[in-house]
């Protein structure tokens, strides 16, 4: 027996401590094994679904309306004499202060202003008499759909408040929606806002089919669940959080069972055979892919709000636009001469200065209607209003995509201005120099998120050309899928033995 200093209580024997620690380690591994075994029966299938759906999402994204698709669906803009101006439309919509934007376009045969507030609300105002249009007649919406370039045998599917493809919150100011099938070979369906008459989304049969195998299972995008944003976020966080625990426990168990020197009596580095051996050894490699994708997916839900919003809030946008609505000098005759295929005129303001631009067919937007592109000095002054007390930003002109300004499926607009602030969060704001539109906000936390999510989830640490990127992603996805597939087989066999 070994006694402590001064002959007091006996000091723990070293061998006793070693045995205690080994026993404790065995109990921990035992609990890890039980947790991994039974949770893994469920989550191996979840992992397999995530990897397969992720492969689909490499080629088919969730349905959305691109700017080119939106503009192609717009009717030519007719500008008769006697129209009210955007200032009168803003007053009729009862928007206090500067607007988010005002779009002048067509609603059937009449020109209308669609007034957007900074909080996202949209109000439709007749450009002929200033009347606020609360709800669009279904027959008019059907007529608008019939004028779509892809329309063939149009079929009205009725009013939709929310369905599988319109669950995101960005559609809330536009609901309810009218669903119309165009009867074309692609199986195109349009969603038109019953509040504004705009085409807000199109989907094709191919997109709908592949998304049931892609984004819907990958994001757990079930309509009743996704309709409750807070609940959906919690579900995804908990599911992916438990999935991380399953993956980590598997990695720990895999390392504890691995014997390189000396090997097991069979001469193998693993005590298992068949699918179990594949799961063990494959998991030590594919488990890295598994953890990479799951952890980055969990981070995409912004747990604990670690990452800042990617756009300034409404109050900051109001300061950027100016404290009051700017007067627009609008002459319909001048606007009609801008281009023969005029589709829309958009009015905004930056730092109290009116900005107007015309959208003409496929051409880039053109300044018009008394509103010019803001000059760099005016932009810098307006941007300083985003963050009062931080001083004016340093302006950088970005001519080519870089690690923080780039597109995945479509190229980002270029050139852009990057306003670099000297605030504690090191905030950047990207701005379109031609229009003054704020394209995004990014501080230090967002730049970390770019690498932790985009970098890990899509392996774009280096901008690889396609199909090189495809080959790398398929290899990484296959490694993770091997772990999931073998785990599914093992789990199924265990259930059959226990309950079969």
């Amino acid at each position: 027996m070994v006694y402590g200093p001064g002959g007091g209580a006996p000091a723990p024997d070293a061998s006793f401590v070693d045995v205690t620690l080994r026993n404790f380690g065995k109990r921990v591994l035992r609990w890890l094994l039980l947790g991994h075994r039974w949770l893994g029966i469920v989550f191996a299938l979840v992992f397999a679904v995530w990897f397969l759906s992720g492969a689909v999402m490499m080629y088919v994204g969730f349905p959305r309306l691109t700017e080119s698709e939106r503009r192609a669906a717009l009717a030519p803009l007719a500008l008769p004499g006697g129209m009210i101006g955007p200032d009168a439309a803003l007053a009729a919509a009862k928007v206090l202060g500067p607007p988010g934007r005002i779009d002048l376009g067509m609603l059937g045969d009449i020109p209308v202003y669609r007034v957007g507030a900074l909080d996202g609300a949209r109000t439709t105002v007749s450009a002929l008499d200033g009347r606020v249009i609360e709800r669009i007649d279904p027959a008019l919406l059907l007529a608008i759909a019939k004028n779509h370039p892809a329309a063939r045998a149009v079929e009205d599917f009725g009013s939709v408040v929310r369905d599988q493809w319109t669950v995101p919150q960005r559609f809330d100011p536009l609901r309810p929606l009218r669903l119309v099938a165009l009867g074309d070979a692609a199986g195109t369906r349009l969603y038109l806002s019953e509040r504004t008459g705009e085409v807000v989304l199109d989907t094709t049969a191919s997109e709908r089919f592949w998304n049931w195998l892609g984004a819907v299972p990958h994001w757990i995008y079930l309509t009743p669940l996704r309709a409750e944003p807070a609940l959906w976020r919690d579900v995804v966080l908990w599911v992916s959080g438990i999935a991380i625990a399953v993956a980590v426990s598997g990695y720990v168990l895999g390392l504890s069972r691995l014997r390189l020197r000396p090997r097991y009596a069979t001469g193998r580095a693993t005590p298992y055979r068949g699918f179990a051996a594949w799961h063990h050894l494959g998991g030590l490699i594919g488990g890295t892919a598994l953890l990479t994708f799951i952890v980055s997916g969990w981070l995409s839900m912004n747990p604990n709000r670690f990452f800042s919003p990617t756009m300034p809030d409404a109050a900051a946008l109001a300061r950027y636009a100016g404290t009051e609505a700017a007067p627009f000098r609008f002459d319909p005759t001048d606007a009609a001469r801008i281009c023969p295929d005029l589709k829309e005129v958009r009015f905004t303001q930056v730092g109290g200065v009116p900005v107007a631009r015309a959208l003409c067919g496929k051409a880039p937007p053109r300044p018009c209607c008394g509103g010019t592109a803001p000059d760099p000095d005016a932009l810098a002054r307006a941007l300083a209003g985003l963050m009062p007390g931080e001083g004016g930003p340093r302006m950088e002109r970005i001519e080519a995509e870089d690690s923080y300004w780039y597109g995945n499926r479509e190229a980002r607009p270029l050139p852009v201005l990057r306003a670099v602030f000297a605030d504690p969060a090191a905030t950047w704001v990207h701005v379109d120099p031609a229009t003054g539109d704020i394209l995004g906000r990014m501080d230090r936390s967002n730049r970390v998120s770019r690498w932790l999510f985009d970098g890990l989830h899509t392996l774009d640490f280096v901008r690889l050309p396609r199909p090189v990127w495809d080959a790398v992603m398929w290899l990484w996805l296959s490694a993770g899928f091997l772990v999931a597939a073998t785990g599914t087989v093992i789990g199924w066999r265990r259930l059959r033995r226990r309950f079969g």
Side-chain angles (χ1 to χ4, degrees), residues 7 27 52 93 98 100 112 120 156 184 265 310 312 315 330 340 364 369 403 414 425-426 437 458 468 484:
R27 284 197 296 270
L52 290 174
V112 295
D156 185 1
D184 60 333
T310 56
F330 176 63
C369 314
S403 295
L414 289 169
D437 290 344
T458 62
V468 176

Side-chain angles (χ1 to χ4, degrees), residues 48 53 153 166 210 219 241 271 285 309 341 345 363 394 430:
S53 59
T166 57
W210 286 109
W219 296 339
I285 301 172
D341 56 351
V345 179
R394 183 180 81 254
H430 290 101

Side-chain angles (χ1 to χ4, degrees), residues 273-283 482 486:
R273 293 180 179 276
F275 277 104
W278 278 99
H279 187 69
H280 179 206
L281 298 179
L482 172 65
T486 54

Side-chain angles (χ1 to χ4, degrees), residues 229-280:
L231 176 61
W232 171 73
R233 180 175 180 274
D234 287 343
V235 167
V236 176
L237 280 172
W238 276 102
V239 170
S240 54
I242 297 171
I244 292 171
V246 172
V248 170
S249 64
Y251 221 100
V252 172
L253 290 167
L255 289 173
S256 72
R257 295 288 194 273
L258 184 68
R259 285 191 189 174
L260 298 178
R261 234 179 249 181
R263 299 201 169 206
Y264 288 94
T266 59
R268 297 168 176 265
T270 175
Y272 306 109
R273 293 180 179 276
F275 277 104
W278 278 99
H279 187 69
H280 179 206

Side-chain angles (χ1 to χ4, degrees), residues 405-416:
W405 184 256
Y406 65 95
N408 288 320
R409 298 185 185 278
E410 292 185 355
R412 286 288 190 100
L414 289 169
V416 298

Side-chain angles (χ1 to χ4, degrees), residues 106-178:
M106 298 299 293
L107 178 61
D109 296 329
I110 67 170
V112 295
Y113 290 99
R114 296 179 174 102
V115 182
L118 288 170
D119 63 2
R122 300 275 282 172
T123 305
T124 305
V125 178
S126 169
L128 298 181
D129 54 19
R131 172 176 53 91
V132 174
I133 302 173
E134 298 286 351
R135 187 65 66 89
I136 313 299
D137 184 83
L140 178 54
L141 293 171
L142 193 62
I144 293 171
K146 288 180 179 178
N147 287 324
H148 191 280
R152 298 297 181 267
V154 174
E155 182 179 0
D156 185 1
F157 285 174
S159 185
V160 172
V161 174
R162 179 180 283 103
D163 69 2
Q164 184 62 56
W165 316 117
T166 57
V167 285
Q169 279 62 56
R170 70 176 181 273
F171 295 110
D172 287 351
L174 303 165
R175 304 184 199 276
L177 308 172
R178 201 79 186 178

Side-chain angles (χ1 to χ4, degrees), residues 323-382:
T323 56
E324 299 179 355
F328 287 94
R329 300 186 304 276
F330 176 63
D331 185 341
T333 305
D334 290 340
R337 288 197 292 262
I338 293 173
C339 57
D341 56 351
L342 181 64
K343 295 290 190 79
E344 193 174 65
V345 179
R346 180 165 296 173
F347 303 90
T348 57
Q349 68 179 70
V350 176
V353 177
V355 178
R357 56 195 185 276
L359 279 66
C360 306
K362 298 180 180 180
R366 304 179 187 179
C368 77
C369 314
T372 59
D375 63 74
D377 291 338
L379 270 178
R381 289 193 298 271

